Amino acid sequence: MAEIGDKSVEIQLGCGLVAAIFQRGNCKSIKQPVSQISQKKLAKPQPKPSSITSRNSISQDRKHVRRSTSDGTRSSSKTNQSSNSSSTKKMSQVVNLVPHTQNLRRQPTFPSSDLSATVISHQKSIANGTLHRAGCSSTGNIMLLGQLGNLKQQKRIQNVSIDQKSILQKGRVLMGNIVNKLDPDVLKSIGNEHYKHGRFEQAMALYNQAIAINPKNACYFSNKSAALLSLNRLIEAVIECREAIRLDPFYHNAQYRLARLYLRLGEAEKALNHYEKSGPKVDRRDISEAQDLKRIICNCIEAHRMNNYITLLNVSKNALSSGADSAPQIFAMRAEALMKLYRHEEAYTIIQKGPNFTTELCTRLFGSAKTAYLLIIRAQIYTLVGRFDYGIALAHEAAKLDLSNEIIAILRRIKGLATARVKGNELFKGSKYTEACSMYTEGLEQDPFNSVLLFNRAACRFKLRQFEKAVEDCTAALVLRPSYTKARFRRADCYVKLERWEAAIQEFEMLLQEKQGDEEVKRALIDAKIQLERERDEDQKQRKLCNRSSNLVLVTSN
C-alpha cells in the first residue's frame, strides 16, 4: 500500500505539471486509490531529484497520467460517489501537508509530497479564478514550474555566471589586441567618415594613426592634407601633399590639391607646374586662372619695386580676389603700401585679416628672404599702433633670417621709439610735463608719424595749457588712425578749453557713436550744448544792443 500511495503522488505531480504547462482550467481527479500517508514518512527527507527524474521520466509520467485520466473519465458516470469521497480524502491529506512544508524550507531537497501540495494548491487557485505565481506560493524555495525539467541547464547557466568576470576580462584583452593590430585602411575609412561630417580634427588624428602604422602609403598623407586644408592650415597641408607626391609622383589627386594650395598662397608658377602633372583632374579653366594670377602677381612685384603704392594697392586687391586669398606676400605688400600712404589704421586691419603663419612654416615654404620681409613689415605696423614690444620681437626674428642693412636700420628705429615712449611715460607720471614732451619729440624725430607718440605729446601740451599745439598733435594722430578714441577725446577737451563749443559737440557726438552709453561723454556733450546756448544768447544780446545804439539820433541845437 505504501508503494501504491507513492505512485499516486507521482501521478498527481504529473497531472499538475501538465496542467500548469498547458494552462488548463481544471484537472480531472484520478481514479486511483490513495493510501493514507503517515506524518513520519513526510518528515523523512526525500532524496534530491536527480537526472533520473528528468525529461524521460517526466514524459513517462505524463503518458501514465493521460491513460489514467482517460480511464477515470470513462467510469465517472458510474462511480461518482466513490470519486467524490476519494477527492475529499486527497484534499484532507493536502491540508495536513501544509504545516510540514514550513519545516522543509531550509532544506536543499525538494520532496515529491511538498511538490504535490503545491500542484494541488495551484489547481485550487485556477478553480477560484486566481493564479499564484511560483515566486508567491506558500513554499519558500519552490522553483518555477516551467524550469523543473531544465535542472541540467540551470547548472550550466550557474557555471557560466561564475566565470563571467574572467570571460569579460579575457574579452577586454582580446579587444585591446585587435585595436593595436588595426588595419591602417580601416583607420583611413573611419577618418573619411569623420571628414564627410565636418569633424576634421578627428579625421586628421585617424590619418596620423594610419601613417604611424604604414608611413609609405601616399593616400594617407593626401587625406591628411585635405583635413588640414579644411582647417585652414594651408602650409601644413602643402607639406603633407608634398610627402604624398614623393611617395607616388603619379598621384593625380595630390598633384591637383597641391596646385590649388599653391594658388591660394600666391605661388602661381608652382601651381602651374603641378597642374601639368594632375592628369585628367585639371581643365583649361584651372590653367587659365593660374596664368592670370601669375600675371597679376608680377604686376604687384613691379609696382612694389617702383614704389608706386597707389598702383600696388589696386593690383594687390585684384590678386586677392583672383584666388590668392591666403598669400602672405600679397597681404604684406598691400599693408606696406597703406603704411607708406600714412593710412596706418587700414594697414593694421590688413595685417590682422591676413594669414598668420609661424616663422618656421613660412621659412620652409617661402624661404628666409621672403619670410624676413613679412616679419619686418608686421613689426613696423605693430609699432605704429603702439605695440612696441611685439614690434621689437618681430624685428629680431627678421634680423635672424636676413641681416641686411635695411632690416637692421628698422630694428634700431623701433627700439629708439620704444625707449622714447618708456622714458616719456615715466616723466609724465612724475608730473614733469616739459621733460616728457621733449622725450616724445625726440622719438618723433625718428618717426614723425607715430600716432601713439603724437598723442602722448598732446597730453603733455594739454597739461602745459598749450591747447592749440595739443589740438595739432591730436589731429595728426587722427589722420593716421581715424578711430583713435583717446586722441579724439583729448582734442574734444582742448576744444572745450578753447571754448570752441561747436567743434567740441561734434567730437563728443562722434565719440558717442563709437562708445554708446558712455556716461562721461554724455555729460561732456550736455555741458558743451549748454555752453553753446549761453554763448548764442549772449551774442543775440550783443546784437540787440548794437542795433539800439545804431538807431539813436544825435540831436543838436542851432
Side-chain angles (χ1 to χ4, degrees):
M1 291 297 291
E3 293 177 358
I4 295 170
D6 293 338
K7 287 181 181 179
S8 65
V9 173
E10 290 177 5
I11 292 168
Q12 293 174 11
L13 171 62
C15 181
L17 182 62
V18 171
I21 291 172
F22 294 95
Q23 296 181 358
R24 293 181 179 176
N26 50 15
C27 183
K28 299 290 184 180
S29 60
I30 301 169
K31 188 178 179 183
Q32 291 287 344
V34 181
S35 62
Q36 294 182 355
I37 302 172
S38 62
Q39 294 183 0
K40 293 182 180 179
K41 209 170 242 318
L42 283 173
K44 184 178 180 180
Q46 297 294 331
K48 186 176 180 180
S50 62
S51 59
I52 298 172
T53 60
S54 61
R55 297 177 181 176
N56 293 330
S57 61
I58 292 173
S59 62
Q60 291 177 3
D61 292 338
R62 289 174 180 171
K63 291 178 182 179
H64 186 197
V65 170
R66 292 191 190 100
R67 287 196 299 270
S68 61
T69 51
S70 62
D71 294 338
T73 51
R74 289 173 187 173
S75 59
S76 61
S77 59
K78 297 178 180 179
T79 58
N80 286 331
Q81 294 178 354
S82 61
S83 63
N84 290 333
S85 61
S86 63
S87 61
T88 304
K89 190 180 293 183
K90 291 174 188 176
M91 290 299 294
S92 62
Q93 291 174 359
V94 170
V95 171
N96 294 328
L97 288 175
V98 172
H100 295 282
T101 58
Q102 298 177 357
N103 297 326
L104 298 176
R105 287 182 183 179
R106 297 181 182 178
Q107 296 181 8
T109 59
F110 203 117
S112 60
S113 59
D114 194 7
L115 183 59
S116 175
T118 305
V119 170
I120 294 175
S121 65
H122 178 70
Q123 294 174 2
K124 282 184 178 181
S125 63
I126 293 173
N128 294 330
T130 59
L131 179 61
H132 294 282
R133 298 187 182 272
C136 300
S137 61
S138 61
T139 308
N141 57 352
I142 296 177
M143 293 183 291
L144 291 173
L145 296 175
Q147 295 178 353
L148 291 176
N150 300 326
L151 296 177
K152 290 184 178 180
Q153 208 169 9
Q154 283 184 346
K155 189 172 183 181
R156 290 172 190 160
I157 293 170
Q158 185 177 5
N159 293 335
V160 170
S161 63
I162 291 171
D163 297 334
Q164 187 177 9
K165 190 174 292 184
S166 61
I167 291 170
L168 288 174
Q169 291 175 354
K170 291 179 181 178
R172 292 192 189 100
V173 174
L174 180 61
M175 287 301 295
N177 294 333
I178 291 172
V179 170
N180 291 333
K181 296 179 181 179
L182 274 178
D183 188 345
D185 286 336
V186 174
L187 292 170
K188 183 202 74 171
S189 299
I190 299 172
N192 291 345
E193 288 298 320
H194 282 294
Y195 181 86
K196 290 176 183 177
H197 292 87
R199 298 186 289 268
F200 305 118
E201 292 283 357
Q202 293 89 329
M204 190 174 63
L206 288 163
Y207 297 145
N208 282 331
Q209 293 179 35
I211 290 169
I213 298 171
N214 182 11
K216 295 183 179 180
N217 192 316
C219 181
Y220 304 155
F221 290 95
S222 179
N223 288 12
K224 181 181 176 182
S225 174
L228 288 166
L229 174 60
S230 299
L231 293 169
N232 207 32
R233 295 160 63 175
L234 303 186
I235 297 181
E236 296 172 74
V238 167
I239 294 170
E240 298 301 328
C241 246
R242 282 177 174 177
E243 184 62 22
I245 292 169
R246 186 189 67 80
L247 294 169
D248 185 2
F250 300 100
Y251 194 173
H252 293 157
N253 284 343
Q255 293 280 5
Y256 184 80
R257 183 175 291 118
L258 186 56
R260 299 298 300 175
L261 285 166
Y262 276 135
L263 200 68
R264 292 188 62 184
L265 292 168
E267 299 289 318
E269 186 67 34
K270 293 179 180 179
L272 284 169
N273 183 28
H274 287 281
Y275 272 146
E276 292 175 0
K277 301 175 183 178
S278 299
K281 291 288 295 182
V282 69
D283 56 20
R284 293 180 179 179
R285 185 176 59 184
D286 294 326
I287 296 174
S288 176
E289 181 184 7
Q291 289 174 345
D292 291 341
L293 182 60
K294 179 182 176 181
R295 177 179 51 80
I296 294 171
I297 291 174
C298 289
N299 293 336
C300 288
I301 295 171
E302 181 64 22
H304 180 263
R305 189 180 65 83
M306 299 295 294
N307 295 331
N308 190 350
Y309 299 117
I310 299 295
T311 302
L312 179 57
L313 279 178
N314 296 329
V315 179
S316 62
K317 184 178 180 180
N318 293 335
L320 294 174
S321 61
S322 298
D325 57 351
S326 299
Q329 187 180 9
I330 301 298
F331 276 94
M333 286 193 292
R334 186 169 178 78
E336 184 184 5
L338 291 166
M339 180 178 65
K340 296 295 183 180
L341 295 170
Y342 307 114
R343 294 159 64 177
H344 295 172
E345 188 170 298
E346 295 177 62
Y348 181 69
T349 303
I350 288 293
I351 288 295
Q352 293 295 105
K353 288 182 178 180
N356 187 17
F357 302 122
T358 63
T359 303
E360 181 183 357
L361 291 175
C362 281
T363 304
R364 289 182 65 179
L365 184 62
F366 303 111
S368 299
K370 286 185 178 179
T371 304
Y373 168 73
L374 300 176
L375 291 170
I376 204 64
I377 294 298
R378 293 173 68 89
Q380 292 179 82
I381 292 174
Y382 279 116
T383 303
L384 290 173
V385 298
R387 300 180 65 178
F388 293 96
D389 294 337
Y390 196 42
I392 292 172
L394 290 172
H396 274 298
E397 287 188 29
K400 291 178 183 178
L401 298 173
D402 186 3
L403 284 172
S404 63
N405 294 331
E406 183 179 2
I407 290 179
I408 296 299
I410 293 172
L411 175 59
R412 288 176 180 172
R413 187 174 75 248
I414 292 173
K415 286 183 175 180
L417 293 171
T419 301
R421 182 203 184 194
V422 170
K423 290 182 178 180
N425 289 351
E426 291 176 354
L427 292 168
F428 186 87
K429 290 178 182 178
S431 301
K432 299 178 181 179
Y433 303 121
T434 303
E435 292 84 351
C437 186
S438 299
M439 186 56 65
Y440 294 136
T441 302
E442 183 179 335
L444 288 167
E445 288 175 358
Q446 300 181 52
D447 184 2
F449 300 101
N450 189 285
S451 59
V452 176
L453 293 180
L454 286 168
F455 167 74
N456 288 358
R457 190 172 70 176
C460 292
R461 288 175 169 176
F462 182 84
K463 293 291 185 180
L464 295 169
R465 302 189 67 82
Q466 300 174 5
F467 302 121
E468 291 289 351
K469 290 184 178 181
V471 167
E472 292 176 3
D473 286 340
C474 289
T475 302
L478 287 167
V479 169
L480 298 167
R481 295 171 58 192
S483 64
Y484 196 177
T485 305
K486 290 182 178 180
R488 189 171 298 281
F489 195 85
R490 180 65 66 191
R491 190 169 70 173
D493 286 342
C494 291
Y495 285 144
V496 169
K497 296 295 183 181
L498 295 169
E499 296 184 357
R500 299 179 187 174
W501 305 115
E502 292 182 358
I505 289 170
Q506 186 178 358
E507 297 291 340
F508 288 133
E509 287 176 346
M510 292 183 68
L511 285 169
L512 275 179
Q513 292 177 0
E514 298 174 3
K515 300 173 63 175
Q516 295 181 359
D518 192 315
E519 295 297 330
E520 184 180 359
V521 176
K522 285 182 178 180
R523 287 195 299 269
L525 177 61
I526 293 171
D527 291 340
K529 288 181 177 180
I530 291 171
Q531 294 296 330
L532 180 62
E533 289 296 326
R534 288 177 181 174
E535 188 178 81
R536 287 177 178 175
D537 291 341
E538 290 178 0
D539 289 343
Q540 289 179 358
K541 290 179 181 179
Q542 291 293 332
R543 289 175 184 175
K544 289 179 179 179
L545 290 173
C546 291
N547 291 333
R548 288 178 182 176
S549 62
S550 63
N551 291 331
L552 291 176
V553 178
L554 182 61
V555 178
T556 58
S557 58
N558 291 330

